[in-house]
Amino acid sequence: MLSRLTRPWAVAVCAVPVVALVATALFAPLPFALAQPGLTANVLGENRGTPVITISGAPTRDTSGQLRMTTIEATSPDARVSLPDVVDSWFRTDRAVMPLDSVYPTGDSVEEIERHNTRQMKESQDDAAEAALNYLKLDSDDVKVSLKLADVGGPSAGLLFSLGVVDKLNGDGRGGDLTGGRTIAGTGTIDPDGKVGAVGGVALKTQAARRDGATVFLVPKAECSDAESELPKGLRLIPVTSLKGAVDALVALESGKGTVPSC
């Protein structure tokens, strides 16, 4: 036989599972990563006392200005990201909420992910060196390029690595620098043929670039709208699809002649 509950008791009994559900939603880990602007590094300079770009087998030139690769910093794959964390980051322009599997390979351990990112960086460096030498029509059997950048993983620095090699070997092709003495930042993958690919996180990378003094940002053309969404004041976007296009745009920007693409 069932006894009838009074209204206050009925409300209390019903409220218990609701409170439990709300508490679970608030504090249970969610499949998201939280990202923010990360470090930038001048590929024409040194990182931890070691030149980022080392070239042998061909004369190199002194450069001025900077070519800064950009990064984002994301919570680790095993971090507990709760609903309050997501809500807080959602409404901040210097934070982003990203699906966990868009940042880290699904199902891999932290150690496996670190190895994966390191492997991607090494492949990106090899492709960047090959793309630069192909662009300059130099034989990779004669000219050797070494790229070193500590504590950074993934392939998104490829474009800037290639531009750094081109600047050190050839500059703007007329005795000047690709940078024109400016601080140029950017992002983008690159393949050995010089094709630039999208990378993600560009709205955060533009903030990192401006924070560290950049006035120009090279962005994969397909990501123009993302880059424009939170573009810092004083930072000019130049969309690119290839290494040649990036070099041509920087030469036109430096010389004041020709067309400089815009988003």
Side-chain angles (χ1 to χ4, degrees), residues 163-186:
L163 288 171
V165 175
V166 171
D167 201 13
K168 282 184 171 291
L169 286 170
N170 194 58
D172 64 359
R174 302 173 302 175
D177 297 304
L178 275 183
T179 63
R182 298 177 177 85
T183 297
I184 309 287

Side-chain angles (χ1 to χ4, degrees), residues 4 31 36 38 43 51 100 128 191 193 213:
R4 179 177 297 176
Q36 64 184 15
V43 301
L100 191 62
D191 68 16
D193 294 325

Side-chain angles (χ1 to χ4, degrees), residues 21-104:
L21 287 172
V22 171
T24 299
L26 284 174
F27 301 108
L30 298 174
F32 296 107
L34 307 181
Q36 64 184 15
L39 64 83
T40 73
N42 177 24
V43 301
L44 296 175
E46 295 185 347
N47 177 250
R48 294 191 175 186
T50 301
V52 176
I53 300 174
T54 304
I55 300 172
S56 60
T60 57
R61 50 188 304 281
D62 293 330
T63 60
S64 66
Q66 299 182 21
L67 287 169
R68 303 196 74 88
M69 55 79 66
T70 55
T71 68
I72 61 172
E73 293 177 1
T75 49
S76 65
D78 57 350
R80 290 179 61 86
V81 176
S82 64
L83 183 59
D85 298 325
V86 171
V87 172
D88 176 63
S89 296
W90 190 268
F91 292 100
R92 295 179 59 171
T93 59
D94 62 342
R95 297 290 188 275
V97 180
M98 307 173 72
L100 191 62
D101 59 8
S102 73
V103 181
Y104 300 109

Side-chain angles (χ1 to χ4, degrees), residues 22 33 78 100 110 164 189 243 251:
V22 171
D78 57 350
L100 191 62
V110 174
T189 65
L243 175 58
V251 170

Side-chain angles (χ1 to χ4, degrees), residues 9-258:
W9 273 105
V11 170
V13 170
C14 292
V16 170
V18 173
V19 171
L21 287 172
V22 171
T24 299
L26 284 174
F27 301 108
L30 298 174
F32 296 107
L34 307 181
Q36 64 184 15
L39 64 83
T40 73
N42 177 24
V43 301
L44 296 175
E46 295 185 347
N47 177 250
R48 294 191 175 186
T50 301
V52 176
I53 300 174
T54 304
I55 300 172
S56 60
T60 57
R61 50 188 304 281
D62 293 330
T63 60
S64 66
Q66 299 182 21
L67 287 169
R68 303 196 74 88
M69 55 79 66
T70 55
T71 68
I72 61 172
E73 293 177 1
T75 49
S76 65
D78 57 350
R80 290 179 61 86
V81 176
S82 64
L83 183 59
D85 298 325
V86 171
V87 172
D88 176 63
S89 296
W90 190 268
F91 292 100
R92 295 179 59 171
T93 59
D94 62 342
R95 297 290 188 275
V97 180
M98 307 173 72
L100 191 62
D101 59 8
S102 73
V103 181
Y104 300 109
T106 303
D108 291 344
S109 68
V110 174
E111 292 76 14
E112 288 171 332
I113 289 170
E114 289 176 350
R115 287 196 294 270
H116 173 77
N117 287 339
T118 299
R119 185 167 60 251
Q120 278 195 317
M121 170 61 88
K122 180 62 170 65
E123 292 171 355
S124 172
Q125 291 172 339
D126 292 342
D127 289 346
E130 187 174 352
L133 295 179
N134 287 340
Y135 170 78
L136 295 171
K137 295 180 172 55
L138 294 175
D139 191 339
S140 59
D141 291 332
D142 299 325
V143 181
K144 301 299 182 184
V145 177
S146 173
L147 302 170
K148 292 184 179 179
L149 190 59
D151 299 329
V152 177
S156 67
L159 171 61
L160 272 293
F161 282 140
S162 289
L163 288 171
V165 175
V166 171
D167 201 13
K168 282 184 171 291
L169 286 170
N170 194 58
D172 64 359
R174 302 173 302 175
D177 297 304
L178 275 183
T179 63
R182 298 177 177 85
T183 297
I184 309 287
T187 190
T189 65
I190 201 161
D191 68 16
D193 294 325
K195 181 181 178 181
V196 174
V199 292
V202 293
L204 297 177
K205 291 179 180 180
T206 58
Q207 295 180 48
R210 190 70 187 105
R211 178 199 66 206
D212 292 352
T215 56
V216 175
F217 191 90
L218 301 171
V219 60
K221 187 175 181 179
E223 296 182 292
C224 264
S225 60
D226 290 341
E228 289 178 308
S229 64
E230 300 292 345
L231 186 65
K233 291 183 179 179
L235 189 65
R236 177 177 182 174
L237 290 178
I238 297 180
V240 295
T241 60
S242 68
L243 175 58
K244 182 181 185 304
V247 172
D248 290 347
L250 291 180
V251 170
L253 182 67
E254 175 199 0
S255 65
K257 300 176 181 178

